[in-house]
Amino acid sequence: MEKITLNNQEIELKEFQQTEENGRIVVSVVFDVTSEEYHDVSVLLYEEKFDIEVPGKDMKFKGVISQFSTSIDNLYEEDNVGEYRVTFTEIE
C-alpha cells in the first residue's frame, strides 16, 4: 500500500495517481477516513499549503488541494467510514 505524508502526518492510501500539468506535479489520492479520524483529518486538510512526501516514489513537493470529494458527509457519527478523494497540485 502506498503512503503519503502531508505536513508530517502519514496517510495510508487506497489509490495513487501521479500526472503533470503545466510542468507541475499533480497527485490524486484516495483514502478512507473513520469517524475517529475525522476531526484530525479535517483540520489537516483545511491547511492552505502542504509539504507533501510520497516515500515510495522518493517524491517531495509543496502543494495545494485542487480537488476534493468525499463519499459520506456524516463522519461525526460513530463507526462511519468515508472515502476521501483529494488532488494536490504543486506550487512554486
Side-chain angles (χ1 to χ4, degrees):
M1 176 164 299
E2 194 74 55
K3 295 181 183 184
I4 192 168
T5 303
L6 306 173
N7 295 348
N8 297 313
Q9 185 171 332
E10 190 174 84
I11 298 173
E12 289 191 12
L13 304 176
K14 292 171 57 176
E15 295 178 28
F16 175 90
Q17 182 179 14
Q18 177 189 346
T19 59
E20 193 174 296
E21 202 171 280
N22 299 321
R24 297 177 193 258
I25 298 168
V26 178
V27 171
S28 297
V29 297
V30 178
F31 57 94
D32 286 336
V33 177
T34 65
S35 56
E36 292 79 22
E37 300 167 319
Y38 170 67
H39 176 76
D40 291 339
V41 172
S42 294
V43 169
L44 172 66
L45 294 179
Y46 275 114
E47 294 181 25
E48 190 173 320
K49 295 179 184 172
F50 300 89
D51 290 320
I52 300 168
E53 295 182 48
V54 185
K57 306 270 186 217
D58 197 28
M59 177 189 302
K60 290 183 181 183
F61 65 97
K62 291 198 179 293
V64 294
I65 294 175
S66 51
Q67 290 184 336
F68 171 83
S69 66
T70 181
S71 65
I72 191 171
D73 62 1
N74 61 346
L75 278 173
Y76 50 85
E77 293 179 10
E78 192 173 344
D79 297 326
N80 279 344
V81 177
E83 182 179 83
Y84 278 33
R85 294 180 173 272
V86 186
T87 299
F88 298 94
T89 301
E90 182 181 26
I91 57 174
E92 295 182 82

